[in-house]
Amino acid sequence: MIFPGLKKLEKEFGFKDNGTLIYGFIKNSYISFADGNNQKNVWFRFPVKLDEEDRQKISAWQKKGYANAISFFDDDIYDIKINFMEFFVPFKVSKIKEIILDITDYISQKYPEAKLQCCGNNCSSTENLEVYDVDGSPLVLCPSCAERIKNEIDNAYEEEKLVPNNYLQGTVMAAVFAIPGILLSFFFFLLGRIASVTGLLYFYLAQKGYTFAKGKLNKIGVIIISLVSLVYSAFGTFISYIGIIIKEVYKDPSVKAIPFKEIFGYTISVVLYDPEVRREMLSNIYITLFMCGICIFVSMAQLLKKSGKTKMKKA
């Protein structure tokens, strides 16, 4: 999410916005910036490799206390990253603007003839560069590198389609891995606590089991994980109630001579037909399903994004 401060800076620079990053060119440098976790981040790509004088010039902003951290990724690289930490109040975008303009002015004056180079691996082309959005990352690429990356994405996608789905194995292992969640549900009930938190655990365990069996994490795979976790959310609560009631029944010494099969059958009838017990159990099931549903909603969005085809287009 991009907040209003950087949105204002976007308009002042005439930059573009892909929803996550704001990016554009200033003189002969390429700039992108975004809001982070209690910080704002600015990335620079320069037309030259920075020498020691350049690094000292840029590092001066950190020494002055304006930038929290400046990362020079490598001695032979053209990129740097600047972090601006925010404590309680947003960092002033006017100061970010001042730093961006100061650095880009410095680079353009020292290297007036230098041209920005392609971001492609081992490519130094400076002609016909355009910005391509590669799965949310705007990259400056020449036509040949853009075509190469597109082909690599298409080839990887085609290879992925040939990988076995392993839906059956994934379903079985998701169910097996989720079993410990039942024990945790039972443990919470023993402590007299609502066991709905295990709804969050069932999805995690089912996902681990599914991936352990090398189940394909596409839309069907995510649905399988979700269904297994929902079933266990309800089933685990039901089994836990049975376990708790059996535990209470065995506190009576007179029932020790009764076969376990009869006690088990009696317990199930109590859970299913006793109005008060059934109402309490269903309330816990609903809460557990709700908690599991929240986890499914958040995790499903993340998994589907990871499992989807990488998108590439001109920015």
Side-chain angles (χ1 to χ4, degrees), residues 135-250:
D135 213 25
S137 298
L139 303 177
V140 180
L141 299 169
C142 67
S144 61
C145 283
E147 184 65 22
R148 175 180 56 80
I149 293 174
K150 182 180 183 304
N151 290 335
E152 289 175 354
I153 293 172
D154 291 338
N155 291 337
Y157 184 66
E158 292 301 319
E159 290 176 5
E160 176 64 22
K161 289 166 64 175
L162 298 176
V163 175
N165 295 323
N166 292 333
Y167 292 142
L168 179 59
Q169 299 94 314
T171 302
V172 172
M173 292 309 297
V176 171
F177 271 57
I179 290 175
I182 298 177
L183 300 177
L184 186 61
S185 294
F186 181 69
F187 176 73
F188 270 93
F189 281 123
L190 284 178
L191 295 177
R193 299 287 188 270
I194 295 176
S196 59
V197 67
T198 54
L200 304 175
L201 179 65
Y202 285 124
F203 187 92
Y204 173 79
L205 292 174
Q207 179 185 336
K208 286 295 182 182
Y210 185 83
T211 54
F212 177 80
K214 294 181 170 43
K216 185 176 285 188
L217 270 176
N218 52 15
K219 292 180 180 179
I220 295 177
V222 174
I223 291 173
I224 290 173
I225 295 170
S226 301
L227 289 177
V228 170
S229 59
L230 287 172
V231 168
Y232 267 88
S233 293
F235 182 69
T237 303
F238 177 72
I239 293 297
S240 297
Y241 262 81
I242 291 176
I244 290 296
I245 294 176
I246 290 176
K247 179 177 177 295
E248 292 300 317
V249 169
Y250 270 107

Side-chain angles (χ1 to χ4, degrees), residues 26-81:
I26 298 180
K27 298 183 178 177
N28 57 354
S29 297
Y30 176 63
I31 319 296
S32 61
F33 44 83
D35 283 289
N37 185 22
N38 296 321
Q39 63 181 354
K40 297 187 186 302
N41 303 309
V42 180
W43 292 267
F44 292 79
R45 181 169 180 83
F46 301 116
V48 293
K49 298 175 183 177
L50 301 177
D51 60 24
E52 187 57 35
E53 181 184 17
D54 302 332
R55 294 164 69 95
Q56 290 180 5
K57 163 66 178 177
I58 295 170
S59 298
W61 286 107
Q62 184 177 3
K63 294 177 181 178
K64 293 176 183 177
Y66 295 114
N68 181 67
I70 299 178
S71 303
F72 297 90
F73 296 115
D74 191 281
D75 290 339
D76 296 326
I77 209 71
Y78 299 85
D79 305 89
I80 68 166
K81 177 184 177 182

